[in-house]
């Protein structure tokens, strides 16, 4: 029998300082674990990262805004001896030059079958697939990325690129490579749209995730490596094997392939936690950016006299909260729009009081989102709020709960917004799509006029339709400002008056539940 091994990470999101859900660990622990796994096994090994590795942390904010380079992450990946790199959707968040500052320095093979240069019709970077022989096994590897990126990203961040349907690309290359190889691996920055056991949909079938379609309709795939959804998956599926290694480096996926013939092959997989004891290594490759970003993040930006009416994020999303109100207030003040909306991203909002360091701010609001000004009719705003209210359901006791579709397979609190500038009356007992009873303009105290245009301040993610908001489309965007949300919050710490803080602490409820 011939044996080889795969080691897999995905969605590490540049979490070199700390993991957002386990502050005692970070990608440094993941690096220690990888080094341990590399040393403890003599099997020929292929090491994969499935993308989203240059965005998503306070350190990434520093490297994008201050260093204007993601090279540090390439150095770290090279130090850890990755063989293959897949492109993640968040690789596009800061634009193509920032992306290139990392990808151009990688020593790993970049596999990118379905993101094409519009002029050459070839992968915009790297190649579509690789063919190698390892331990006497002929291995084919196809690299794919969710083609849903244009539904989230600013057009200038992918100018000159075309995103081909990931499933159709997989189908083409599986047919091409299967006769040539003993073992066929598909490495995909995308997840499972259906339950692996029942086949029931886990989400609206938009094409964002197509791994279930791949593994069921393309049984020629031997191993399907997935990411994007931040799930922990490691299991056989019929005659194949599927894996997804969480996020932030919380686990390293391992698959050992025991191969005799195409018809006699077995897989043994496990997810190795970064909490496992491993010898601490010197990781000089992330310096000096690591230390410089720490110093930058420790700076005190100002003082926040927020009144914490609730420290429960669920209640805050139902009732409203001064923290959210203060962001909307700042966006309205900055843009002079009629209305503003923003998401409550995590539970760290309770830390936004007293002295605020840059690290605390970027823990509370970790995403880089520029502020967009969008023009919608009153009728379109009703459609936005109907979609927004799908976030909630009523249980048998008429208590308001989060719709499970926003919790599994991936938590999506970022697809629900709290708005300021209008009062929305909601009857949650009605079916989704028919819950908004009335929206009152708080300036005029009159219902929105359906055929009248209004200006909204929202994030760039929402403005291009992120979260499957059909009413938000790029053609409705009046402008994308140069100001991002975190920078606006920092600016507000310096500029808001006591009177404005009083308003924020008392005028934060804009939903009325009927």
């Amino acid at each position: 029998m011939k044996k080889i091994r795969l080691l897999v990470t995905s969605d590490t999101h540049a979490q070199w300082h700390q993991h957002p859900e386990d502050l005692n660990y970070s990608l440094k622990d993941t690096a220690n674990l990888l080094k341990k796994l590399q040393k403890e096994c003599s099997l020929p090994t292929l090491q994969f990262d499935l993308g989203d590795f240059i965005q998503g942390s306070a350190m990434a904010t520093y490297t994008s805004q201050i260093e204007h380079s993601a090279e540090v992450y390439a150095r770290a990946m090279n130090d850890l001896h990755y063989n293959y790199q897949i492109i993640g959707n968040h690789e596009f968040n800061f634009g193509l030059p920032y992306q290139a500052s990392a990808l151009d320095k990688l020593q790993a093979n970049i596999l990118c079958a379905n993101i094409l240069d519009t002029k050459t019709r070839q992968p915009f970077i790297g190649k579509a697939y690789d063919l190698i022989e390892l331990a006497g096994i002929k291995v084919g590897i196809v690299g794919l990325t969710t083609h849903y990126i244009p539904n989230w990203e600013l057009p200038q961040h992918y100018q000159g690129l075309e995103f081909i349907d990931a499933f159709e690309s997989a189908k083409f290359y599986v047919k091409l490579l299967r006769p040539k190889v003993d073992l066929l691996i598909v490495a995909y920055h995308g997840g499972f749209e259906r339950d692996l056991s029942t086949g029931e949909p886990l989400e609206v079938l938009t094409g964002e995730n197509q791994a279930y379609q791949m593994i069921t309709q393309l049984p020629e795939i031997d191993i399907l490596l997935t990411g994007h959804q931040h799930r922990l998956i490691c299991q056989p599926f019929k005659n194949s094997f599927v894996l997804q290694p969480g996020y932030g480096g919380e686990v390293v996926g391992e698959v050992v392939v025991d191969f005799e013939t195409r018809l006699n092959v077995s897989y043994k997989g496990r997810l190795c936690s970064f909490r496992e004891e491993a010898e601490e290594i010197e990781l000089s490759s992330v310096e000096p950016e690591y230390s410089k970003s720490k110093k930058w993040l420790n700076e005190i930006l100002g003082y926040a006299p927020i009144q914490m009416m609730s420290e429960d994020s669920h209640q805050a999303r139902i009732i409203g909260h001064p923290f959210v109100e203060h962001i909307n207030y700042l966006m309205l003040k900055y843009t002079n729009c009629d209305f503003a909306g923003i998401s409550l991203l995590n539970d760290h909002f309770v830390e936004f009081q007293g002295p605020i360091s840059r690290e605390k701010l970027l823990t509370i609001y970790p995403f880089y989102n520029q502020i967009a000004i969008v023009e919608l009719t009153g009728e379109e705003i009703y459609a936005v709020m109907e979609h927004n209210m799908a976030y909630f359901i009523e249980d048998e006791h008429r208590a308001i709960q989060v719709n499970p579709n926003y919790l599994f397979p991936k938590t999506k609190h970022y697809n629900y917004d709290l708005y300021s500038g209008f009062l929305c009356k909601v009857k949650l007992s009605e079916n989704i799509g028919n819950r908004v009873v009335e929206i009152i303009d708080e300036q005029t105290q009159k219902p929105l006029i359906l055929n009248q245009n209004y200006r909204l301040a929202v994030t760039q993610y929402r403005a291009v339709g992120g979260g499957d908001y059909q009413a938000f489309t790029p053609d409705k965007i009046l402008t994308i400002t140069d100001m991002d949300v975190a920078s606006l919050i920092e600016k507000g710490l310096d500029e808001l008056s006591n009177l404005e803080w009083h308003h924020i602490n008392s005028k934060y409820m804009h939903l009325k539940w009927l």
Side-chain angles (χ1 to χ4, degrees):
M1 299 287 278
K2 306 166 185 176
K3 286 188 178 183
I4 64 171
R5 181 178 66 153
L6 314 182
L7 294 177
V8 189
T9 58
S10 188
D11 298 86
T12 53
H13 286 290
Q15 302 286 356
W16 289 97
H17 289 165
Q18 58 189 27
H19 191 280
E21 293 182 13
D22 196 333
L23 305 186
N24 294 319
Y25 294 88
S26 74
L27 285 177
K28 284 195 167 186
D29 297 287
T30 313
N32 293 338
L33 174 61
L34 274 168
K35 295 285 189 181
K36 175 187 175 184
L37 291 170
Q38 289 164 359
K39 288 179 181 178
E40 71 181 15
C41 179
S42 60
L43 288 178
T45 298
L46 296 175
Q47 192 165 304
F48 296 78
D49 183 77
L50 304 180
D52 282 2
F53 73 105
I54 63 173
Q55 175 276 355
S57 69
M59 182 172 167
T61 301
Y62 168 80
T63 54
S64 64
Q65 293 188 2
I66 305 301
E67 298 286 343
H68 304 291
S69 172
E71 182 184 344
V72 59
Y73 309 116
R75 295 199 308 266
M77 302 299 266
N78 294 340
D79 187 60
L80 294 169
H81 307 298
Y82 280 88
N83 301 106
Y84 294 100
Q85 180 67 55
I86 308 303
I87 308 297
N89 56 293
H90 285 291
E91 262 70 88
F92 293 89
N93 284 177
F94 298 122
L96 292 175
Y98 182 78
Q99 178 197 90
S101 69
L103 298 186
D104 289 350
K105 298 292 185 180
L106 285 175
Q107 294 168 3
N109 293 288
I110 298 173
L111 299 183
C112 183
N114 68 315
I115 306 178
L116 307 183
D117 184 302
T118 54
K119 293 180 180 178
T120 66
R121 304 294 298 162
Q122 296 297 314
F124 86 103
I125 193 168
K127 53 189 177 181
Y129 64 89
D130 199 18
L131 295 173
I132 62 169
E133 186 166 325
L134 194 65
I137 305 171
K138 294 178 181 178
V139 182
I141 307 162
V142 182
L144 299 164
T145 301
T146 175
H147 62 264
Y148 211 62
I149 290 169
N151 295 84
W152 307 308
E153 198 56 71
L154 296 175
Q156 59 265 37
H157 288 177
Y158 57 88
Q159 188 172 5
L161 304 181
E162 181 180 357
F163 296 84
I164 306 300
D165 184 284
F167 172 77
E168 293 301 327
S169 296
K171 185 177 178 181
F172 175 83
Y173 285 105
V174 165
K175 183 178 180 181
L176 176 69
L177 298 184
R178 182 70 269 181
K180 303 177 182 180
V181 300
D182 301 316
L183 185 73
L184 184 54
I185 300 168
V186 171
Y188 171 46
H189 187 87
F192 292 92
E193 73 279 23
R194 292 178 182 270
D195 185 275
L196 282 165
S197 299
T198 66
E200 290 298 311
L202 296 173
E203 59 191 25
V204 178
L205 301 178
T206 61
E208 175 184 350
N209 297 297
Q210 297 174 296
Y212 186 86
Q213 185 181 12
M214 290 179 190
I215 201 64
T216 53
Q217 296 186 27
L218 303 174
E220 301 90 344
I221 296 172
D222 294 309
I223 300 175
L224 180 57
L225 308 176
T226 68
H228 185 56
Q229 291 173 311
H230 300 183
R231 296 172 67 187
L232 297 172
I233 299 171
C234 184
Q235 66 178 77
F237 185 88
K238 297 183 179 178
N239 295 322
S240 305
F241 199 87
V242 296
L243 185 139
Q244 189 171 140
Y247 83 109
E250 61 183 320
V251 300
V252 174
E254 180 186 65
V255 183
V256 174
V257 181
D258 204 334
F259 184 92
E260 184 168 333
T261 68
R262 172 78 182 92
L263 299 177
N264 187 6
V265 58
S266 63
Y267 312 99
K268 185 177 181 180
R270 61 173 178 155
L271 299 176
C272 309
S273 171
F274 64 0
R275 296 172 185 83
E276 291 184 16
E277 282 193 28
E279 179 185 354
E280 190 167 342
I281 59 170
E282 183 74 25
L283 201 68
S284 58
S285 55
V286 295
E287 295 291 358
E289 291 90 343
Y290 179 89
S291 296
K292 289 166 70 175
S293 62
K294 277 284 192 181
K295 183 177 180 181
W296 182 73
L297 290 166
N298 286 334
E299 293 176 11
I300 299 298
L301 304 176
Y303 183 86
I306 283 276
Q307 293 179 14
M308 286 294 153
M309 303 304 183
S310 172
E311 295 189 353
D312 183 293
S313 58
H314 180 60
Q315 285 302 309
R317 293 184 181 103
I318 294 171
I319 299 170
H321 195 278
F323 172 72
V324 177
E325 182 66 23
H326 113 276
I327 301 178
N328 282 341
Y329 181 90
L330 290 168
M331 290 202 296
L332 289 171
K333 185 177 180 180
Y334 179 73
T335 63
N336 199 31
C337 283
D338 302 299
F339 314 122
I342 197 78
S343 297
L344 184 61
L345 298 176
N346 53 47
D347 293 336
H348 293 289
F349 73 99
V350 298
E351 300 167 27
F352 194 80
Q353 51 186 328
I356 305 298
S357 68
R358 187 174 276 111
E359 182 172 29
K360 184 182 288 187
L361 169 58
L362 293 174
T363 300
I364 297 165
Y365 200 91
F367 298 142
Y368 180 81
N369 260 319
Q370 288 172 264
I371 297 165
I373 299 174
V374 177
E375 187 171 77
L376 299 181
T377 64
E379 185 175 12
E380 289 167 332
I381 294 173
Y382 270 87
V384 166
M385 292 307 294
E386 286 288 7
H387 185 74
N388 203 30
M389 288 303 125
Y391 174 81
F392 291 115
I393 58 170
E394 277 189 346
D395 66 17
E396 64 272 20
H397 306 294
R398 294 205 65 194
I400 299 175
Q401 306 292 346
V402 178
N403 186 331
N405 291 337
Y406 288 78
L407 300 174
F408 186 82
K410 181 179 180 180
T411 303
K412 297 180 181 178
H413 298 307
Y414 53 80
N415 282 336
Y416 169 73
D417 294 326
L418 285 157
Y419 280 85
S420 300
F422 60 68
L423 175 69
C424 186
K425 299 179 181 180
V426 182
K427 193 171 184 180
L428 201 59
S429 58
E430 298 291 337
N431 293 330
I432 289 173
N434 195 35
R435 293 172 163 181
V436 176
V437 176
E438 191 175 40
I439 302 177
I440 304 295
D441 185 332
E442 291 177 341
Q443 287 292 324
T444 64
Q445 290 300 306
K446 294 180 180 179
L448 297 193
I449 300 170
L450 296 183
N451 62 357
Q452 180 174 315
N453 289 334
Y454 299 90
R455 298 200 319 160
L456 289 79
V458 294
T459 64
Q460 65 184 61
Y461 170 76
R462 189 69 72 235
V464 297
D468 297 315
Y469 282 81
Q470 301 301 314
F472 286 117
T473 53
D475 60 295
K476 310 281 179 58
I477 299 173
L478 298 179
T479 187
I480 302 286
T481 73
D482 293 331
M483 183 68 72
D484 68 277
V485 174
S487 296
L488 184 64
I489 296 172
E490 179 179 344
K491 181 179 169 70
L493 288 169
D494 185 52
E495 295 181 357
L496 288 175
S497 68
N498 289 335
L499 187 62
E500 288 174 303
W501 280 114
H502 175 74
H503 170 87
I504 288 164
N505 283 321
S506 58
K507 305 289 185 181
Y508 58 88
M509 292 187 286
H510 305 281
L511 288 170
K512 186 173 182 180
W513 302 96
L514 303 177

